[in-house]
Amino acid sequence: MSGVKPKGNNAQHQPLTTALRNIIREYPSGGGVLRELTQNADDAGANTVEFVLDEDHHPCDPLLHPGLAEFQGPSLMAFNNKTFSDKDFRSLSRIGDSEKAHDLSATGKFGRGFNSVYNWTDGPSILSGTSLLLLDPHESWSRDPNIGEPGGPVYDFVENAQEEVMINQLSPFKKIFTDFSRPFEGTIIRLPLRTADQAKTSKILDLDPKPTEIADIKEVFNSFAAEISESLLFLRNVSSITLRIGDEVFAKGIAKKYVDGEDITASFSINEPYDSVLVRGERLRRDESFLMEISFQQHGEEKASKYAITHHMRRHIEDDPKLEEWARKFKLLPWVAIASPLSQDREQEHVGRLFSTLPLPVLSNQPAHIHGMFSVRPDRATIHSGDDNAISEATESSKGARWNKWLFQKCVVDAWISNLQFIQEITDAGACSFQGWTRWPAGFQPFGKRANLGTGTLGAVFTRVVKEDLRLLPTISDTSVRGSEVLFATELDESLEDALREAGVVVTYPPSDRMHEISQLSLDGLGISCVSPGSVRTALTKLSGSLNDLSPISRSVLLDYILSDKSYVDVAKCQASLLPMMDGSYQNFQVSSIRYRFSRGIESSLFSECKAFSIDSSKLSPTALYHFNNRMEAVRAFTNVCGWDTDGAVWYCREYLFKRNTTLEDTIPRPDLVEWVNQFWSWVVSKAQPNPSALISAVAYLWLVPLTGDRYRKVGVSSPPALDISGTGNVAQIFRAVLKSSPLTEKTYPLYSGSGISPETTAFFRSRSVISDCENLQALIFWLSSVPNFLETFHDEQRDQLLSHIGYLAGRPMVKKDRDFLQVAMRKLPLFREAFSTSPSRQWINLNQTSIRYVAVSPIEDSLPVIEHANTIFIEKSDPGVFQILKALGLAELPSTQQILEQFIIPKITSTNGETRTSFSKFTLKSINFRLLSWEAKNRLANTSFIPVANSHLFKCPSQLVDPESGAAGLYFDDENVFPTLDYLKEFRESLKQLQMVTAVTERVIQNRLRKYSEGQENIAEISKKVQNLLDAAPNPPSISTEYRELRWIPATSLDGEIRLYNSCECRDKLQESLFKYSMPLTELDVSARWKTELRWYNAPEVRHILKQLEEAVSRNDNAVIISLLERGWLSLAEVSKELDHRTWVPGAGGAYYRRADVFLEDAEFHPYVDVLNPQFRSYFRTSTRFAVEKTPCFQKLKDVHDILVAKGKVEGVDLKVFVSLLDAISARFPGEDLTTLYTPDTDGIPRRFADITAGSADPDNPQMKELAFIHPTITPKTIKSLKIPTIQDRFLERIVGPEFIQQFEQEQDLTTLISDTLQRYPIESTFGEYLANAEDSRTATKICWIADETERYPGKSLITSKLLECQGQALFCYNDGVFTENDFEAVIRIGVGSKRDEPSKIGRFGRGSLTMYRLSSTSHETRCCGTNIQKVPLDVHSELHLGGLFRHLRVRHPDLNTCGEELKCW
């Protein structure tokens, strides 16, 4: 190291006041101070901020320090409702290095914001929780030795709330908080306004120091009030800011958030998404939008503003990780927000600002406020924009500019789109008026009018909206649409814009300030359609249904525009009605069956009424007339404009000639049409094509076919065609005869008689199916089915004639198609009669009811009774023609006799009564009919109640009946009425047997009887009788299912002595009494072994029954029952044994019952707590692994019994005996256990700890013994000794020296052998030398003295123990004036080690020198003087009595001092 030394030290440092002065230069006074305090409150999580200007002066004497008096004047106080945390206090003390600078959850970055308050004050103070912080940056008053560290003492104002100095000190805070006896749930920052005197001496202010006047704060209030509303926009927590002067509110702003109309201010905070994305990184990105309503009050007036706010956050910068790393270093996070003002006036201009949570003095020149975690200069006056080309790319400013640019290009664009979407949502919901383009980013502006960083935002947003097809583009109709739905206009004529708007064409037409930037984009590449004649035609087509109210001017403008490109092919596709007609209507050009024509020549007079389809040229503009006059051929080729033709003429007839015939009927009476129709046919034929089908098609809807009765029918009507009865066939003759007998018929039905029509015309009509031939079966039936009422005009004879002819025709071969048709059509015709009709005039019916079943029978031939069946009609089939029709076409069922019986007779048996039912049943049971029945029919009869019962008016199923002569008859009760009448039994016995009448005891009978008995409706004695009959009649029953085992049909005596019915699971027979007599009813029935097996009576019952039987056996001391349960093995079942582990049921030898864990094979006679197992049960518990018991109780078991007795508080009688026996057993069997926690009863039977009780008997004359508790006299000395219970002597020794001393210095080794060895090594002469060496080694002794005490006897009362009486005689003392250390005392105990064997400076080596004292005494009663304490250590090497490990009995061998003369001469 160099030998040159510095002459002094001039290290750099900066006074606190200098640092504060530099800070307030960066944070000038004014609203910025309030903003910083608001920012701090928001970071702390407060939702309420209040600034109070206090103009008062407050008490100054006494205060916490006299120097604080100058700060008791007017002040500004900032309150928020969040308590200052320890972290906040730490941050406050670290100027420029706030913990917020590294806390991602806080917005502040520089750690200097709070210190801007020094613009106005020299002594700010903070009250929060229980703390009052008084800052003294000048260390003027706080540099007081009584205060401690100067600069910022903190006081507990709650603890000292009653002190006068604290009351006065806190007086200014009463403007906000009054109860200083409790913690304050919030924070108050008080800024005493700097006085003129303070300004003169302040080292914080610059060259021109000025005081802070009240007027200055009011001016700040006035300016800050103007920005309160905007300040609330992006704060994460604060929703209320109030400015107050004294008790009067100067200004107040309250922000409320809404989503879907619901106020979410209290429930929602932007902190949750902020932490989720930006702090914890759980999500990649997140958008949150809500409606904010801000109410602002000032000077008694209230204003409200509304904003649509969207917050956008993302986790990473995907394309620039280095920039992200740099940004996070400065706590710049990808978080932006857009606040768009919502106004009813779209023309109102709004110039937004930039925010970094709070407003920045930077205009965004956008129609919205933009918040971002911008790279802001420390003064918050500007942001880094990169507009200085001289700045290096490596500088922080340049990186900040890159960061801000990235925020605008990425995050701001995303946030703005989300904001537009949210505005659209609330607009759709009616919460906002249409905002149009006003809420979109501003477009291109001349340089200098906008922030450079925002350049291109509009284009980016527009591009994204179009590409993602978002419904956000504003239209000229004040709606928002997707890019795929809109037409983009770069320029629009005003008249065309008005016409498009009126028509509802979706057009977006940006204002000029935005048009320039958007038009520079590649609209084609974005898939945007622009306004053109073709796109407008397409749009008008889509809107054609909504153009009815379009004005004539707009129609004319739009007509000119869609024709302007001469694309008539596309014009024809336009469905908009823009073409003016003579009747004032408008039509479109779309090609259809309707044409709009110009009239020429005679057509004008022939079709004179056709104004609705003639174009009104007077309403066409010159532009439109050009197209019709000069390009008509092209127009006609592609549109619906043309001249008159055959189709047009036919249409005219329909629309005008028959206009008064508004009916939809195919036939009308028009006698006036004869001449016109003839002319019409001539004109049509001349215009028609040579193809006859085309001609008929052209006139298909005209009433031009003549019918009977001066009627005309449509040519094209073919359902049915007019029936031609002009021929000579049988059907034609029948029809003409009907018309003759019924004149009105000719005016009703479509009949063609050919009157006045030439045969050629008639032939033409037939060839074109205009009329049909009545002699054709299909044509005839088709016509009849079309006019079914026509048959009502027939007489019965005429109908029979027609039916016979139809039957004849139906018998001919026909194709399937015709047969299928006839099957359907014939059902509709009333050509059939009912078989069992009782009406004199037999009605004609059809077979067309789909819900009706039609059955053809011959009642007379088959001797059938009259049958009535639900939804069934029986029709007569006797007539050959009818039978032929039914057979050929399958129109009805043709059943056999068996089918009639099974389908109709048998079902009717149960639905009738009296003679009818009797006749039906006897008819069915006749052997001639019964043998025809199928097995299914017989089974059905077996379960049908139709057999009369003897001695009753009842009818029952054959399967319910019992043959009275069978063995099963004894199982039924009299009132069951199960025996048939004798006449039925005699006549139909064989039939009844086949129908399952009971003739023997079968499984079905048993099941039936069990169900019957279980109903319990009869007398219990009668039921018992029948049950026994059943058991006797069927001693070997079939398998009994669970269903029947669960029925209650077994009579048994309940536990309360009542006879009731039980199921097989609920009772047992008397033979199992030892297993169930306490848990189940027992029956007296004689039950066979097979029945018991089927009833599961040999199985174990439910666990509850076993447990109940056991429980009752225990309560009744019925060990025989317990043995039965053990022998049966039921107690070993898993579910049972699990329950038994916690139950008292095992018999003890003493007659009581115990839990299994409380009985043992031997050595457990501690009744009633534990006991030896009853000898009668030893075999069951020795052989059972489940119920094995321990041979003897363990220590813990005895300890548990001990604890039970101790808990009683006092024991006597049996409990006392058990307690004594228990201690005997523990001491004898468990000498190695820890017994220190045990108790023993005293003479009064009260349990006491071993340490609190004394062995022996009390001496009434000794007052000191009255304080001792003595052990109960029944406890043996052997037990006392084993348990090491202290004696009376031990107690007195403890009182004299203290138990802790005895314990500490008790020699623990077996000493006798060791001492003997030592005395062999050290002769008697060495004793004095050893003690001299010990004194020397202490280093504190200066002299040593031996004293021979010849006193014969010292007092012997109140000794440590009476055994020490023999030590109260002659003795030898060794004294030195050194002090015994702890190590020295330890050496006495650790024989052979000592305290100095490892210390080279000491004479002693082996640690045994002090043992030479045993040359003179068997016991050493040493008195060692250590400082101010004298400790007596009785050492007993023989350890004759050791009680509790604390005291030892001493025995002393008295030395004869006269014999030591020679030894003393050596010294």
Side-chain angles (χ1 to χ4, degrees):
M1 178 179 294
S2 172
V4 179
K5 297 182 180 180
K7 68 176 183 177
N9 191 302
N10 195 26
Q12 290 181 318
H13 68 277
Q14 184 183 46
L16 173 61
T17 53
T18 303
L20 295 176
R21 181 166 64 249
N22 293 331
I23 289 175
I24 64 174
R25 288 175 182 171
E26 296 178 354
Y27 292 83
S29 63
V33 177
L34 303 189
R35 284 194 291 270
E36 291 299 333
L37 294 175
T38 302
Q39 175 76 72
N40 290 344
D42 189 60
D43 283 342
N47 56 40
T48 299
V49 172
E50 189 170 342
F51 296 102
V52 180
L53 176 58
D54 177 16
E55 301 179 89
D56 298 338
H57 291 265
H58 299 278
C60 298
D61 186 27
L63 295 174
L64 292 173
H65 191 279
L68 291 170
E70 61 180 305
F71 300 108
Q72 291 293 94
S75 64
L76 172 65
M77 286 185 285
F79 156 75
N80 70 73
N81 62 344
K82 198 68 175 181
T83 304
F84 231 55
S85 66
D86 292 340
K87 178 180 177 181
D88 296 326
F89 280 111
R90 289 196 306 270
S91 294
L92 198 64
S93 66
R94 299 167 63 183
I95 297 176
D97 190 23
S98 167
E99 293 190 15
K100 288 168 56 175
H102 310 288
D103 182 2
L104 294 180
S105 64
T107 308
K109 301 179 184 64
F110 303 107
R112 299 182 178 185
F114 169 80
N115 295 294
S116 63
V117 302
Y118 287 103
N119 278 288
W120 293 333
T121 186
D122 278 344
S125 57
I126 299 176
L127 183 144
S128 185
T130 62
S131 300
L132 173 64
L133 168 64
L134 302 174
L135 293 174
D136 181 22
H138 291 89
E139 299 182 2
S140 59
W141 59 268
S142 62
R143 189 172 289 281
D144 186 322
N146 295 323
I147 293 178
E149 189 71 22
V154 181
Y155 298 89
D156 188 330
F157 69 85
V158 175
E159 182 179 338
N160 300 285
Q162 303 304 319
E163 299 292 336
E164 184 180 5
V165 292
M166 186 61 72
I167 293 173
N168 290 341
Q169 193 69 54
L170 297 177
S171 177
F173 293 94
K174 290 184 178 179
K175 292 290 183 180
I176 297 174
F177 179 55
T178 58
D179 186 2
F180 301 111
S181 63
R182 60 181 178 85
F184 179 55
E185 299 296 332
T187 299
I188 303 174
I189 300 174
R190 181 174 179 268
L191 311 178
L193 301 187
R194 183 179 284 115
T195 65
D197 291 338
Q198 291 171 348
K200 294 177 182 178
T201 60
S202 176
K203 298 179 181 180
I204 298 175
L205 295 181
D206 263 331
L207 298 177
D208 186 19
K210 293 182 180 179
T212 303
E213 304 289 349
I214 291 177
D216 297 335
I217 304 301
K218 290 183 177 180
E219 183 179 351
V220 172
F221 270 23
N222 203 41
S223 62
F224 186 67
E227 65 180 53
I228 282 182
S229 294
E230 293 181 352
S231 297
L232 291 168
L233 288 174
F234 302 112
L235 291 172
R236 290 187 291 163
N237 299 293
V238 174
S239 59
S240 172
I241 299 177
T242 303
L243 304 180
R244 186 153 56 89
I245 300 177
D247 295 329
E248 181 180 350
V249 174
F250 179 80
K252 184 175 184 178
I254 299 177
K256 293 186 177 181
K257 305 183 184 76
Y258 296 88
V259 172
D260 296 332
E262 179 184 355
D263 187 345
I264 64 168
T265 307
S267 61
F268 172 79
S269 170
I270 202 65
N271 286 331
E272 190 277 324
Y274 182 96
D275 292 343
S276 174
V277 177
L278 301 177
V279 180
R280 298 190 301 271
E282 297 170 346
R283 298 180 60 174
L284 292 178
R285 61 172 56 202
R286 186 165 173 180
D287 288 353
E288 292 289 343
S289 297
F290 50 84
L291 189 66
M292 179 176 284
E293 292 185 359
I294 301 175
S295 60
F296 176 71
Q297 302 175 7
Q298 188 176 16
H299 306 314
E301 297 182 0
E302 184 171 348
K303 297 180 181 179
S305 55
K306 187 186 297 184
Y307 292 85
I309 298 179
T310 298
H311 289 263
H312 170 79
M313 304 164 191
R314 59 173 66 183
R315 182 73 184 93
H316 296 296
I317 304 176
E318 294 82 358
D319 52 353
D320 197 342
K322 291 185 177 180
L323 180 60
E324 178 178 1
E325 181 181 358
W326 174 87
R328 284 207 165 246
K329 173 183 174 183
F330 288 91
K331 210 177 74 171
L332 298 175
L333 304 175
W335 169 32
V336 301
I338 303 295
S340 294
L342 303 179
S343 172
Q344 296 295 332
D345 183 7
R346 279 189 288 165
E347 301 302 322
Q348 179 180 354
E349 292 188 4
H350 176 84
V351 179
R353 299 173 66 178
L354 293 186
F355 285 66
S356 187
T357 303
L358 289 169
L360 298 172
V362 181
L363 295 179
S364 67
N365 288 313
Q366 293 286 0
H369 296 302
I370 302 174
H371 154 74
M373 298 193 79
F374 298 115
S375 177
V376 182
R377 291 187 171 89
D379 60 358
R380 295 179 63 90
T382 56
I383 68 172
H384 295 118
S385 62
D387 49 3
D388 185 355
N389 295 329
I391 296 178
S392 170
E393 286 292 327
T395 63
E396 301 301 336
S397 296
S398 176
K399 292 178 181 177
R402 282 176 55 205
W403 166 259
N404 292 339
K405 181 177 181 181
W406 180 84
L407 282 181
F408 271 96
Q409 292 180 346
K410 299 293 184 181
C411 296
V412 170
V413 171
D414 285 354
W416 211 306
I417 292 173
S418 295
N419 187 255
L420 291 175
Q421 289 178 307
F422 178 64
I423 293 174
Q424 186 60 47
E425 289 174 7
I426 60 177
T427 301
D428 294 341
C432 173
S433 62
F434 182 73
Q435 301 294 306
W437 287 97
T438 59
R439 301 284 75 86
W440 279 66
F444 173 80
Q445 296 180 4
F447 179 76
K449 279 196 171 185
R450 58 173 296 165
N452 292 336
L453 289 173
T455 302
T457 303
L458 172 63
V461 170
F462 183 87
T463 300
R464 283 271 306 280
V465 168
V466 173
K467 284 185 175 181
E468 297 176 16
D469 204 25
L470 303 178
R471 189 171 68 88
L472 298 176
L473 292 177
T475 70
I476 59 176
S477 302
D478 288 353
T479 60
S480 295
V481 296
R482 306 178 190 278
S484 59
E485 303 170 341
V486 73
L487 299 180
F488 186 88
T490 56
E491 59 179 353
L492 277 182
D493 179 79
E494 183 177 352
S495 61
L496 180 57
E497 180 181 355
D498 292 341
L500 291 173
R501 181 184 299 107
E502 184 181 357
V505 178
V506 182
V507 176
T508 183
Y509 186 38
S512 57
D513 64 321
R514 292 171 173 85
M515 176 66 75
H516 176 79
E517 184 170 336
I518 295 177
S519 62
Q520 301 303 310
L521 303 174
S522 175
L523 298 179
D524 291 340
L526 294 176
I528 289 287
S529 299
C530 293
V531 173
S532 67
S535 62
V536 171
R537 285 192 294 265
T538 301
L540 290 174
T541 297
K542 295 178 180 179
L543 297 169
S544 58
S546 60
L547 301 178
N548 295 334
D549 297 329
L550 194 61
S551 65
I553 295 177
S554 293
R555 291 180 192 269
S556 178
V557 172
L558 293 174
L559 178 62
D560 290 347
Y561 190 70
I562 68 171
L563 291 172
S564 62
D565 63 348
K566 302 182 180 63
S567 179
Y568 302 119
V569 174
D570 293 333
V571 170
K573 298 176 183 178
C574 181
Q575 299 179 15
S577 300
L578 304 177
L579 193 62
M581 308 309 292
M582 291 295 295
D583 64 349
S585 65
Y586 287 86
Q587 304 297 337
N588 58 48
F589 290 88
Q590 189 174 17
V591 176
S592 66
S593 59
I594 299 176
R595 293 279 187 166
Y596 306 110
R597 304 174 174 84
F598 290 102
S599 298
R600 296 182 176 86
I602 195 173
E603 293 173 346
S604 297
S605 59
L606 183 60
F607 306 111
S608 59
E609 298 183 16
C610 191
K611 294 181 180 180
F613 297 91
S614 298
I615 298 174
D616 187 353
S617 59
S618 66
K619 295 181 180 179
L620 297 177
S621 69
T623 301
L625 283 174
Y626 165 80
H627 294 278
F628 288 110
N629 290 329
N630 300 299
R631 302 185 63 84
M632 178 55 70
E633 290 302 321
V635 172
R636 177 175 182 152
F638 299 108
T639 71
N640 58 355
V641 176
C642 65
W644 288 98
D645 54 16
T646 301
D647 291 338
V650 172
W651 169 80
Y652 174 82
C653 291
R654 184 180 68 246
E655 296 295 327
Y656 297 98
L657 184 65
F658 298 110
K659 186 174 183 179
R660 62 188 180 89
N661 299 106
T662 58
T663 178
L664 298 178
E665 295 292 334
D666 295 337
T667 303
I668 60 173
R670 287 294 296 271
D672 59 313
L673 287 182
V674 176
E675 181 179 356
W676 191 92
V677 167
N678 287 332
Q679 293 177 351
F680 175 78
W681 276 104
S682 299
W683 188 87
V684 168
V685 169
S686 66
K687 291 290 185 180
Q689 298 177 358
N691 187 348
S693 297
L695 173 61
I696 294 300
S697 177
V699 298
Y701 295 99
L702 301 180
W703 287 280
L704 298 177
V705 177
L707 301 178
T708 58
D710 294 329
R711 296 170 300 143
Y712 289 86
R713 192 183 192 201
K714 291 180 181 178
V715 176
V717 174
S718 58
S719 181
L723 189 65
D724 181 12
I725 58 172
S726 62
T728 58
N730 291 332
V731 177
Q733 294 179 27
I734 294 172
F735 272 57
R736 288 199 294 270
V738 171
L739 292 179
K740 185 175 181 180
S741 61
S742 180
L744 293 178
T745 303
E746 68 175 2
K747 295 184 177 295
T748 305
Y749 301 99
L751 297 171
Y752 176 81
S753 65
S755 175
I757 303 299
S758 65
E760 292 77 15
T761 301
T762 300
F764 174 79
F765 283 159
R766 280 189 181 179
S767 66
R768 308 319 305 167
S769 298
V770 176
I771 58 177
S772 60
D773 185 3
C774 66
E775 304 300 332
N776 179 275
L777 179 59
Q778 286 73 25
L780 173 63
I781 298 303
F782 176 76
W783 190 87
L784 286 175
S785 63
S786 301
V787 287
N789 295 337
F790 181 70
L791 289 174
E792 296 179 2
T793 64
F794 281 57
H795 299 309
D796 287 347
E797 182 181 355
Q798 294 171 335
R799 196 175 311 206
D800 286 338
Q801 291 175 359
L802 179 62
L803 192 58
S804 297
H805 187 67
I806 291 174
Y808 167 75
L809 296 176
R812 295 178 179 180
M814 64 183 74
V815 297
K816 183 179 183 303
K817 177 181 177 181
D818 292 341
R819 185 176 182 278
D820 292 342
F821 161 72
L822 291 174
Q823 279 182 327
V824 175
M826 285 294 291
R827 290 184 183 276
K828 301 177 182 179
L829 301 179
L831 297 174
F832 308 94
R833 290 190 177 99
E834 293 189 39
F836 299 109
S837 175
T838 58
S839 175
S841 57
R842 298 169 65 192
Q843 296 292 324
W844 293 91
I845 64 172
N846 60 39
L847 310 181
N848 198 38
Q849 298 184 59
T850 58
S851 61
I852 298 298
R853 181 182 183 187
Y854 297 98
V855 180
V857 296
S858 298
I860 297 176
E861 294 178 6
D862 297 334
S863 301
L864 295 176
V866 175
I867 305 173
E868 295 181 358
H869 196 78
N871 299 322
T872 302
I873 296 178
F874 296 91
I875 59 175
E876 177 67 62
K877 67 175 181 179
S878 302
D879 183 89
V882 173
F883 181 78
Q884 183 63 36
I885 293 173
L886 296 176
K887 181 180 179 182
L889 301 178
L891 301 182
E893 298 179 32
L894 299 171
S896 65
T897 302
Q898 176 189 351
Q899 292 172 329
I900 293 174
L901 280 169
E902 295 183 356
Q903 297 179 22
F904 306 107
I905 300 297
I906 292 177
K908 295 299 291 183
I909 289 178
T910 56
S911 63
T912 57
N913 50 38
E915 292 298 326
T916 302
R917 175 163 56 189
T918 301
S919 63
F920 271 123
S921 62
K922 290 186 175 182
F923 177 81
T924 304
L925 293 175
K926 285 181 180 180
S927 59
I928 189 173
N929 293 328
F930 189 78
R931 63 183 176 80
L932 299 175
L933 297 179
S934 64
W935 179 87
E936 290 81 1
K938 292 179 180 179
N939 188 58
R940 182 180 178 188
L941 274 177
N943 295 283
T944 301
S945 299
F946 73 101
I947 304 300
V949 178
N951 303 320
S952 172
H953 297 291
L954 300 175
F955 290 84
K956 288 196 173 183
C957 306
S959 61
Q960 296 175 330
L961 299 178
V962 180
D963 189 340
E965 299 177 2
S966 69
L971 307 182
Y972 295 83
F973 301 102
D974 293 339
D975 60 356
E976 289 189 80
N977 298 313
V978 294
F979 304 115
T981 59
L982 292 178
D983 59 334
Y984 263 78
L985 190 63
K986 180 178 180 181
E987 184 175 358
F988 305 115
R989 182 187 292 273
E990 291 303 319
S991 296
L992 292 175
K993 283 184 179 181
Q994 295 184 46
L995 295 179
Q996 304 176 27
M997 180 177 68
V998 175
T999 59
V1001 180
T1002 63
E1003 180 178 359
R1004 181 173 70 90
V1005 172
I1006 293 175
Q1007 293 174 349
N1008 174 269
R1009 291 297 81 200
L1010 296 184
R1011 281 194 296 269
K1012 177 62 180 177
Y1013 300 154
S1014 69
E1015 294 172 359
Q1017 297 177 352
E1018 284 74 19
N1019 180 276
I1020 193 70
E1022 189 66 21
I1023 293 175
S1024 298
K1025 179 181 177 182
K1026 296 299 182 183
V1027 171
Q1028 189 63 63
N1029 289 345
L1030 175 63
L1031 297 175
D1032 295 341
N1036 296 308
S1039 176
I1040 304 298
S1041 65
T1042 302
E1043 175 187 358
Y1044 295 98
R1045 289 197 300 273
E1046 293 178 351
L1047 293 176
R1048 290 188 171 91
W1049 59 273
I1050 304 173
T1053 304
S1054 67
L1055 298 179
D1056 57 6
E1058 294 290 332
I1059 299 178
R1060 301 187 183 92
L1061 295 179
Y1062 298 93
N1063 62 37
S1064 63
C1065 299
E1066 297 173 336
C1067 66
R1068 292 294 187 274
D1069 68 325
K1070 291 285 287 185
L1071 296 179
Q1072 302 184 73
E1073 184 176 13
S1074 64
L1075 295 171
F1076 297 101
K1077 64 179 179 180
Y1078 300 131
S1079 61
M1080 281 190 175
L1082 300 177
T1083 181
E1084 298 289 342
L1085 295 175
D1086 183 11
V1087 184
S1088 67
R1090 178 63 184 274
W1091 270 102
K1092 290 181 182 180
T1093 300
E1094 291 301 325
L1095 296 179
R1096 304 294 193 267
W1097 280 5
Y1098 293 125
N1099 296 352
E1102 294 181 17
V1103 172
R1104 59 189 178 91
H1105 293 305
I1106 298 173
L1107 294 177
K1108 183 176 181 182
Q1109 182 76 357
L1110 179 63
E1111 181 181 346
E1112 289 296 324
V1114 170
S1115 67
R1116 301 168 190 261
N1117 291 324
D1118 193 343
N1119 288 347
V1121 168
I1122 300 177
I1123 290 175
S1124 297
L1125 293 173
L1126 285 168
E1127 289 178 344
R1128 185 58 66 94
W1130 290 349
L1131 299 186
S1132 299
L1133 299 175
E1135 293 184 359
V1136 177
S1137 62
K1138 180 172 63 176
E1139 290 289 333
L1140 296 184
D1141 287 342
H1142 308 289
R1143 292 186 177 231
T1144 300
W1145 66 279
V1146 181
Y1153 294 88
Y1154 300 88
R1155 293 183 301 121
R1156 185 169 59 84
D1158 294 334
V1159 291
F1160 303 88
L1161 297 179
E1162 55 189 51
D1163 294 338
E1165 294 84 355
F1166 303 109
H1167 177 73
Y1169 303 103
V1170 295
D1171 201 356
V1172 174
L1173 180 66
N1174 188 320
Q1176 191 179 4
F1177 287 82
R1178 281 180 175 266
S1179 60
Y1180 302 106
F1181 285 85
R1182 280 180 174 174
T1183 58
S1184 171
T1185 57
R1186 179 60 191 168
F1187 297 125
V1189 297
E1190 298 291 337
K1191 182 178 180 181
T1192 59
C1194 64
F1195 173 75
Q1196 185 58 47
K1197 174 58 68 175
L1198 298 183
K1199 177 68 166 53
D1200 292 342
V1201 177
H1202 162 275
D1203 292 344
I1204 294 173
L1205 295 172
V1206 170
K1208 291 188 174 184
K1210 182 177 182 179
V1211 294
E1212 54 189 358
V1214 174
D1215 285 342
L1216 180 59
K1217 292 181 180 179
V1218 171
F1219 210 149
V1220 172
S1221 298
L1222 195 67
L1223 292 174
D1224 291 342
I1226 290 175
S1227 64
R1229 293 180 52 209
F1230 304 103
E1233 294 290 343
D1234 180 12
L1235 307 181
T1236 57
T1237 61
L1238 296 184
Y1239 287 69
T1240 181
D1242 64 7
T1243 54
D1244 295 325
I1246 298 174
R1248 297 182 183 274
R1249 290 187 179 276
F1250 289 1
D1252 298 332
I1253 201 162
T1254 304
S1257 58
D1259 183 356
D1261 296 330
N1262 190 338
Q1264 296 184 18
M1265 291 190 180
K1266 294 181 180 180
E1267 300 177 4
L1268 300 177
F1270 290 93
I1271 198 166
H1272 198 275
T1274 58
I1275 298 179
T1276 65
K1278 180 180 178 181
T1279 299
I1280 292 174
K1281 182 176 182 180
S1282 298
L1283 298 179
K1284 300 178 182 178
I1285 298 176
T1287 64
I1288 297 174
Q1289 292 79 7
D1290 298 330
R1291 291 302 186 199
F1292 280 103
L1293 177 62
E1294 179 184 19
R1295 290 187 180 185
I1296 295 172
V1297 300
E1300 68 283 353
F1301 181 86
I1302 301 301
Q1303 177 68 32
Q1304 181 177 359
F1305 291 97
E1306 179 188 17
Q1307 290 181 308
E1308 299 174 347
Q1309 296 173 317
D1310 185 12
L1311 302 178
T1312 54
T1313 303
L1314 183 59
I1315 292 174
S1316 175
D1317 177 74
T1318 301
L1319 295 181
Q1320 292 178 10
R1321 296 171 182 268
Y1322 293 82
I1324 189 171
E1325 295 82 7
S1326 65
T1327 300
F1328 298 91
E1330 288 297 329
Y1331 276 80
L1332 179 60
N1334 288 341
E1336 175 66 13
D1337 285 340
S1338 71
R1339 293 188 177 182
T1340 58
T1342 61
K1343 60 183 177 179
I1344 187 169
C1345 180
W1346 292 89
I1347 303 173
D1349 184 7
E1350 297 180 336
T1351 305
E1352 291 289 337
R1353 183 64 59 187
Y1354 285 95
K1357 293 184 178 181
S1358 300
L1359 298 177
I1360 294 174
T1361 175
S1362 60
K1363 296 292 185 179
L1364 291 175
L1365 181 60
E1366 60 191 80
C1367 298
Q1368 292 296 94
Q1370 296 175 334
L1372 176 65
F1373 291 84
C1374 178
Y1375 163 75
N1376 71 66
D1377 61 348
V1379 179
F1380 230 55
T1381 67
E1382 291 296 325
N1383 288 338
D1384 296 327
F1385 278 112
E1386 182 69 12
V1388 176
I1389 298 173
R1390 301 174 65 193
I1391 298 174
V1393 177
S1395 61
K1396 53 192 178 180
R1397 64 178 294 178
D1398 298 320
E1399 295 184 39
S1401 62
K1402 301 297 177 69
I1403 300 173
R1405 292 290 182 269
F1406 303 102
R1408 295 188 179 185
S1410 63
L1411 293 183
T1412 58
M1413 64 186 173
Y1414 288 99
R1415 287 284 184 186
L1416 306 177
S1417 174
S1418 296
T1419 301
S1420 174
H1421 178 201
E1422 297 184 5
T1423 301
R1424 304 183 184 273
C1425 301
C1426 306
T1428 61
N1429 296 321
I1430 299 177
Q1431 297 178 326
K1432 294 184 178 180
V1433 187
L1435 304 175
D1436 178 15
V1437 299
H1438 292 285
S1439 304
E1440 284 192 356
L1441 182 63
H1442 179 267
L1443 302 178
L1446 296 176
F1447 308 108
R1448 295 181 187 270
H1449 182 63
L1450 306 179
R1451 293 183 59 199
V1452 180
R1453 177 164 54 86
H1454 296 281
D1456 185 359
L1457 296 180
N1458 294 323
T1459 62
C1460 298
E1462 294 299 324
E1463 286 79 8
L1464 294 175
K1465 292 177 182 179
C1466 297
W1467 294 92

